[in-house]
Amino acid sequence: MTRLLIVGPQGSGKGTQGVRIAEAFGIPAISTGDVFRAAVKDGSDLGEQVKAIIEAGDLVPDELTSAVVRDRLAQADAEGGFLLDGYPRNIVQVMHLDEFLEGRDEQLDAVIELVVPRDESIERIARRAAEQGRSDDTEEVIANRLAIYERETAPILDVYRTRTIVDQIDGVGSLDEITERIVAALEARGLVRDAVV
Ligand code: AMP
């Protein structure tokens, strides 16, 4: 039973590392960004609601986002644990998640904070923009998303720090090196992985 959260600015590699860590611990990686992008692609009701917001790099309303996450966490594969990527993203969402987990008599075991210098994350976002052509990877939208991260998301780490569950991980290096750093930090907390990555 491992319940994790990975936090980092855009371009920190949290999506990639999140998937790797989830695999190592045998838990689903749940990325709200991926859920929203899939909904937009499918043209579902949810997609219609969030399309313009995502394209502007703004945050989807908290109630809607938290409802999406609650639905996802209620699925059978998240019973044995999960890794959240991109949620919670502000203090209100932290409160929503706390409430949900308390209702299940659960709590987060660890919060992985991926630390990457601003220049490096901007470079990585630019590379991803060239490779994947994400509509929210334009210069103006990137600046907005980074500003929102600093203003709204970084403060959630202070909340989790008071609970002593934050592991700060240097996010510069090869993919494997970074994965190893994260796994080592989680193992030091007594969390047990079930696959070799
Ligand atoms: P990401 O891939 O995590 O950068 O998310 C892409 C976009 O989805 C963000 O820029 C937001 O518009 C939206 N989004 C993802 N997660 C959240 C969240 N927890 N709260 C609000 N909006 C979100």
Side-chain angles (χ1 to χ4, degrees), residues 26-49:
I27 50 179
I30 300 173
S31 152
T32 41
D34 283 353
V35 172
F36 290 143
R37 276 186 291 277
V40 170
K41 211 168 148 207
D42 292 350
S44 66
D45 280 353
L46 175 65
E48 292 295 317
Q49 286 180 73

Side-chain angles (χ1 to χ4, degrees), residues 8-12 57 118 121-122 125 139-152:
Q10 285 70 33
S12 63
R118 201 185 166 89
S121 39
I122 290 173
I125 301 171
E139 207 173 315
E140 194 189 334
V141 176
I142 292 166
N144 186 31
R145 293 165 76 216
L146 285 172
I148 291 176
Y149 180 83
E150 302 286 332
R151 193 175 65 233
E152 300 204 34

Side-chain angles (χ1 to χ4, degrees), residues 6-130:
I6 189 162
V7 182
Q10 285 70 33
S12 63
K14 72 181 165 60
T16 307
Q17 292 299 333
V19 168
R20 288 173 154 234
I21 296 303
E23 197 178 322
F25 285 83
I27 50 179
I30 300 173
S31 152
T32 41
D34 283 353
V35 172
F36 290 143
R37 276 186 291 277
V40 170
K41 211 168 148 207
D42 292 350
S44 66
D45 280 353
L46 175 65
E48 292 295 317
Q49 286 180 73
V50 304
K51 189 169 189 284
I53 299 171
I54 289 179
E55 281 175 0
D58 291 328
L59 291 188
V60 173
D62 296 328
E63 290 297 339
L64 180 58
T65 306
S66 292
V68 165
V69 173
R70 279 195 295 270
D71 278 356
R72 180 64 189 85
L73 290 178
Q75 287 174 29
D77 66 340
E79 267 170 28
F82 51 79
L83 177 143
L84 287 171
D85 161 9
Y87 177 92
R89 231 173 172 99
N90 61 24
I91 298 284
V92 172
Q93 294 181 10
V94 168
M95 287 162 55
H96 288 166
L97 179 63
D98 278 348
E99 206 175 281
F100 175 81
L101 292 179
E102 270 163 28
R104 302 212 309 191
D105 214 11
E106 295 175 1
Q107 56 190 20
L108 291 176
D109 295 304
V111 176
I112 303 153
E113 178 189 359
L114 267 187
V115 181
V116 174
R118 201 185 166 89
D119 288 357
E120 169 101 12
S121 39
I122 290 173
E123 210 178 290
R124 290 186 195 174
I125 301 171
R127 216 177 306 144
R128 182 174 70 191

